[in-house]
Amino acid sequence: MNGPRTHSSGSSSHKILVAGAGIAGLSAAFRLQRAGYDVSVLESASHVGGRMWTEEAEGYRIDTGAAMLPDSYHQMRRLIHDAGLTQEVRPSGNVYGFLRDGRIHRFGKRLPLRLLTTRLLSARSKVRLLRLAADTRRLSDRLSFRDLTTVPEADESCIAYTDRRLNQELFDYLIEPLSTNYYFAPPDELSMTHVYLAAGSALGTGYFNSPDGVAFLPRGLARHLDVRHRTKVLSVEESGNTVVVTYTDHAGGEHRETVAACVIAVPGPQAAGLWPAMPAPMRSYLSRLRYSTCLHVSFGLSARPREPAMWIFVPRREHPGGLGLCLDHNRAPGRAPDGKGLITLYWPTHTSEKLYDLPDPEVTARALRDLDRLNLFPGLAQRIEMTRVSRCRPCVPLTHPGSIAELNDGLRSLDRSSRIVLAGDYFSFGSTNAALTSGEIAASRLTVTLEAQQPNRPG
Ligand SMILES: Cc1cc2nc3c(=O)[nH]c(=O)nc-3n(C[C@H](O)[C@H](O)[C@H](O)COP(=O)(O)OP(=O)(O)OC[C@H]3O[C@@H](n4cnc5c(N)ncnc54)[C@H](O)[C@@H]3O)c2cc1C
């Protein structure tokens, strides 16, 4: 049998490989290439984007992973600008609905005013809610998409926080739906840091999106880059002033390439598997990191329901296990043909796990039963002209209480001058913007390291 083909050229001192063409890897690659390095991205799938992807189905456009892009994603807006993609985005829907007793209570940009007048919550709960507003405000300077370790005192479970500061009604109609249907995480497994971030950055803000789907961004970045599809990274090892990356190409051939540096931008547990010499505390954090699972079903409709919300939270109190309903045609332009509608039902982790391996027709039948039971859109079943099931595993990191201390230990164990750096959505609240930001941080850290170790900068 032939051994791996080895590649090591004179140019290896300026060559950087990025493992993974999700938004973390692509943003790292884009910034490194702009800094003058010769970058290639190795991606095991046949397309870029990872969990930031859009599929076409019978004239409908389905965002299979990430869907919402709030205006608070400043790093993403800057990258869109720098990659010349500004023309591709426009303002999009921003109205969230919360279901209670069969009625949808809506919240848009003017959140504080609506909270005063809404009948979703009792007067007593509204007064209690001021505590959450005050706590979020107090932490807001330190809550960031870069790093959650800056708010260690906020790392308690949503349930513990509710017991300490809120009440049962706020738990049932705000905290639980946010946890279960925004992060797909059970509230006892989600750190409150995520709720503060959602409260501070996703509710009461504007949103943007592209008519071409969220994949416009990974596709747009990839147009500037050398991406090798169906290329799976097997291991990454630092050796003196070089890094050796072993991978299989699209034809199954094994290669060992010697380069100046490598960014590992794959989900946490996989990253731990690729880097045998990863410092133990970081390895322990990443290999134990759990992700939520999400199963969702999209229905293309011959006519739109009259509901204006882009997303409806259905709390557990209103439906067993709770769920999220996305009205994609309200969420972003271009998701359904003119006059038609697109609705997606998202199950939380617990239900998604139970249904995940069932055949599509059974999953669809269950989704229809759930919609029927909610009875929000009478006659909907007769308007369905397209159905699509999407399975997402991993979905988003379940940053459980206590994990921020573990992440902190992990980060401190990393050698800041290493030629291997990590990027991904596990440094802050699991989102495209956190992944993108981590990619940019990885790029700037590598640039500093390489400039210090090889002063003849490229470019
Ligand atoms: C259902 C769902 C809904 C979401 N909703 C939102 C939302 O509304 N807003 C938001 O901001 N975020 C949302 N997210 C989260 C967001 O999509 C992710 O946090 C983000 O896209 C992660 O990007 P990443 O680059 O870190 O990882 P990924 O996108 O997972 O990219 C990793 C890439 O590495 C590749 N890879 C893996 N192993 C290897 C290997 N050995 N060799 C080479 N390549 C490899 C994978 O194929 C993949 O392309 C959602 C996610 C899901 C699943």
Side-chain angles (χ1 to χ4, degrees):
M1 216 165 95
N2 291 336
R5 290 179 57 194
T6 56
H7 312 253
S8 177
S9 66
S11 66
S12 66
S13 63
H14 292 156
K15 179 80 193 178
I16 298 179
L17 291 180
V18 175
I23 192 60
L26 291 170
S27 55
F30 180 81
R31 292 298 183 201
L32 285 164
Q33 185 163 284
R34 283 285 157 108
Y37 291 95
D38 174 12
V39 185
S40 293
V41 186
L42 313 184
E43 167 56 52
S44 58
S46 52
H47 63 76
V48 297
R51 285 171 278 159
M52 190 177 193
W53 190 241
T54 309
E55 275 176 12
E56 312 276 333
E58 301 170 40
Y60 293 89
R61 203 161 271 146
I62 298 163
D63 293 319
T64 54
M68 319 277 194
L69 307 176
D71 285 347
S72 53
Y73 282 7
H74 302 298
Q75 296 84 350
M76 187 175 284
R77 297 301 293 243
R78 200 174 49 233
L79 183 64
I80 288 170
H81 172 267
D82 293 352
L85 299 170
T86 308
Q87 296 304 322
E88 298 204 22
V89 295
R90 48 208 65 168
S92 65
N94 57 47
V95 177
Y96 282 103
F98 289 77
L99 188 70
R100 180 165 189 176
D101 301 328
R103 205 183 136 199
I104 300 167
H105 301 262
R106 301 179 190 87
F107 299 86
K109 269 185 168 176
R110 301 171 72 188
L111 186 65
L113 199 66
R114 272 295 292 137
L115 281 171
L116 277 179
T117 56
T118 183
R119 298 173 79 169
L120 174 70
L121 302 168
S122 64
R124 201 187 172 89
S125 290
K126 287 179 192 175
V127 173
R128 278 282 163 115
L129 191 58
L130 291 175
R131 295 180 171 184
L132 175 60
D135 292 341
T136 305
R137 200 178 163 79
R138 186 170 44 79
L139 297 168
S140 61
D141 287 351
R142 287 179 292 134
L143 279 170
S144 91
F145 289 101
R146 292 173 68 90
D147 178 3
L148 276 187
T149 62
T150 49
V151 283
E153 74 274 32
D155 189 18
E156 63 183 321
S157 85
C158 296
I159 290 180
Y161 179 81
T162 303
D163 288 347
R164 203 166 55 77
R165 301 283 282 164
L166 305 177
N167 63 17
Q168 190 63 39
E169 187 184 41
L170 283 165
F171 180 78
D172 290 341
Y173 289 98
L174 184 68
I175 302 293
E176 184 277 321
L178 270 180
S179 167
T180 312
N181 302 317
Y182 194 78
Y183 295 106
F184 311 104
D188 51 335
E189 290 192 40
L190 190 74
S191 164
M192 258 312 279
T193 47
H194 287 57
V195 176
Y196 294 126
L197 258 167
S201 67
L203 295 178
T205 182
Y207 282 74
F208 64 93
N209 219 304
S210 163
D212 292 334
V214 294
F216 83 96
L217 182 55
R219 279 197 193 109
L221 293 172
R223 280 198 291 275
H224 296 274
L225 297 164
D226 171 44
V227 181
R228 302 183 207 159
H229 295 104
R230 288 186 287 135
T231 300
K232 184 170 183 187
V233 176
L234 304 176
S235 74
V236 182
E237 288 167 81
E238 197 163 2
S239 165
N241 273 352
T242 60
V243 172
V244 180
V245 180
T246 309
Y247 57 88
T248 50
D249 64 21
H250 62 282
E254 194 169 316
H255 301 257
R256 278 168 68 83
E257 191 165 337
T258 303
V259 292
C262 179
V263 179
I264 301 179
V266 303
Q270 285 151 264
L274 294 186
W275 185 8
M278 180 186 287
M282 197 63 188
R283 164 178 304 287
S284 154
Y285 171 71
L286 288 183
S287 46
R288 285 193 289 150
L289 189 62
R290 291 198 310 117
Y291 284 74
S292 57
T293 297
C294 181
L295 180 63
H296 54 97
V297 186
S298 301
F299 295 104
L301 307 173
S302 57
R304 296 181 176 186
R306 258 202 273 265
E307 171 57 41
M310 64 163 176
W311 180 274
I312 299 170
F313 288 102
V314 179
R316 282 187 201 168
R317 283 260 179 210
E318 304 292 316
H319 183 89
L323 51 85
L325 276 185
C326 185
L327 286 88
D328 300 270
H329 53 270
N330 293 336
R331 176 176 60 81
R335 296 325 191 255
D338 283 349
K340 298 193 174 187
L342 181 66
I343 289 194
T344 303
L345 182 149
Y346 289 76
W347 282 298
T349 290
H350 183 63
T351 318
S352 295
E353 287 285 359
K354 276 207 305 215
L355 305 178
Y356 203 82
D357 296 320
L358 292 179
D360 284 4
E362 283 182 44
V363 173
T364 303
R366 165 69 190 261
L368 282 170
R369 278 203 301 280
D370 283 359
L371 279 173
D372 196 43
R373 185 169 177 167
L374 287 171
N375 196 28
L376 286 176
F377 311 114
L380 179 130
Q382 287 74 51
R383 282 182 259 160
I384 295 172
E385 56 178 34
M386 185 282 303
T387 305
R388 179 60 69 102
V389 176
S390 305
R391 292 174 174 79
C392 305
R393 199 192 255 158
C395 182
V396 288
L398 288 173
T399 314
H400 62 270
S403 62
I404 289 184
E406 292 165 27
L407 170 61
N408 206 9
D409 287 347
L411 289 175
R412 279 200 306 224
S413 72
L414 293 175
D415 173 1
R416 292 180 73 84
S417 62
S418 171
R419 288 165 176 256
I420 301 175
V421 290
L422 296 166
D425 60 355
Y426 43 81
F427 295 106
S428 178
F429 116 71
S431 63
T432 51
N433 198 52
L436 178 155
T437 306
S438 77
E440 297 194 326
I441 293 171
S444 67
R445 187 157 299 157
L446 266 188
T447 307
V448 170
T449 298
L450 295 178
E451 276 180 20
Q453 294 180 15
Q454 49 186 57
N456 296 333
R457 225 188 130 216

